[in-house]
């Protein structure tokens, strides 16, 4: 393996670790939603008033729902689990990015799919537009390291192909 290929592999790992960490954090923060919202209500006074009102409404809804219907939070537990399992999925490209490039492509498809989901479901569920844009930003931000990783994988494939022909 040449130095150029090694550099590409290291950069690809950094991009993949970014995705893994983001997914894991997203998953882990989906478990304690009521506690997180309580914290934001208490300490989020520096936020714009419209956001404070929205966070307050979310907190009240979670608090009342968890008091009377705690089983509904089981849905967000599964959401958290899915994020963590998706993070595990990206271990494959860490080990062999070329062999597991399909995982990177899957991630790109997921990032693109966030936008219509957030806009359609957000509208149906009466989610404020500014919050829908925040949700869309996860796809827009997430796709950047994935595309950069995919570009590196293509370059690694070319180097491996060239190296194989030179033997």
């Amino acid at each position: 393996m040449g130095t150029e290929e090694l550099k590409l592999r290291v950069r690809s790992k950094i991009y993949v670790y970014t995705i893994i960490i983001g997914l894991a954090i997203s998953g882990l923060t989906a478990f304690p939603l009521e506690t997180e919202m309580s914290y934001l209500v208490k300490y989020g006074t520096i936020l714009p008033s419209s956001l404070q009102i929205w966070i307050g409404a979310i907190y009240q809804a979670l608090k009342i729902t968890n008091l009377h219907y705690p089983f509904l939070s089981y849905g967000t537990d599964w959401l958290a689990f899915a994020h963590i399992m998706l993070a595990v999925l990206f271990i494959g490209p860490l080990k062999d990015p070329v062999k597991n490039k399909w995982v990177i492509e899957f991630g790109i498809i997921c990032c693109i799919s966030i936008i219509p989901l957030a806009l359609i479901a957000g509208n149906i569920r009466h989610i404020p537009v500014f919050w829908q844009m925040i949700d869309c930003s996860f796809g827009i931000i997430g796709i950047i390291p994935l595309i950069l990783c995919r570009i590196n994988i293509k370059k690694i494939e070319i180097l491996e192909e060239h190296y194989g022909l030179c033997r």
Side-chain angles (χ1 to χ4, degrees):
M1 181 182 326
T3 53
E4 181 63 26
E5 185 179 348
L6 185 60
K7 286 179 187 176
L8 290 168
R9 286 180 181 275
V10 168
R11 273 192 241 126
S12 293
K13 283 185 178 193
I14 292 168
Y15 299 140
V16 173
Y17 274 122
T18 302
I19 296 300
I20 289 172
I21 291 166
L23 284 167
I25 289 170
S26 293
L28 293 172
T29 59
F31 285 114
L33 288 180
E34 185 179 341
T35 303
E36 292 167 345
M37 290 297 110
S38 171
Y39 181 84
L40 283 174
V41 166
K42 188 174 182 179
Y43 299 107
T45 54
I46 62 166
L47 299 172
S49 61
S50 59
L51 188 53
Q52 287 180 40
I53 292 166
W54 175 242
I55 289 171
I58 293 170
Y59 172 65
Q60 287 303 314
L62 285 169
K63 186 176 177 178
I64 292 166
T65 302
N66 287 339
L67 182 64
H68 297 287
Y69 312 102
F71 53 87
L72 287 176
S73 289
Y74 192 54
T76 55
D77 294 341
W78 278 102
L79 170 72
F81 175 76
H83 276 81
I84 294 165
M85 290 300 98
L86 287 170
V88 170
L89 177 70
F90 281 88
I91 292 172
L94 285 178
K95 292 181 177 186
D96 187 342
V98 173
K99 183 179 174 185
N100 293 290
K101 68 183 175 187
W102 69 270
V103 176
I104 302 301
E105 292 164 349
F106 168 77
I108 291 169
I109 292 167
C110 290
C111 286
I112 292 167
S113 300
I114 288 171
I115 295 168
L117 174 72
L119 297 176
I120 294 167
N123 188 44
I124 291 168
R125 304 286 185 209
H126 305 286
I127 305 298
V129 173
F130 72 85
W131 200 265
Q132 291 177 45
M133 294 301 107
I134 290 170
D135 290 340
C136 289
S137 74
F138 287 105
I140 294 165
I141 293 167
I143 203 169
I144 295 168
L146 291 169
I147 287 174
L148 293 172
C149 186
R150 183 66 181 107
I151 290 168
N152 283 349
I153 291 170
K154 284 184 179 185
K155 289 178 182 177
I156 292 168
E157 287 175 320
I158 291 168
L159 287 171
E160 286 180 346
E161 200 174 282
H162 180 265
Y163 181 73
L165 293 174
C166 293
R167 286 185 178 180

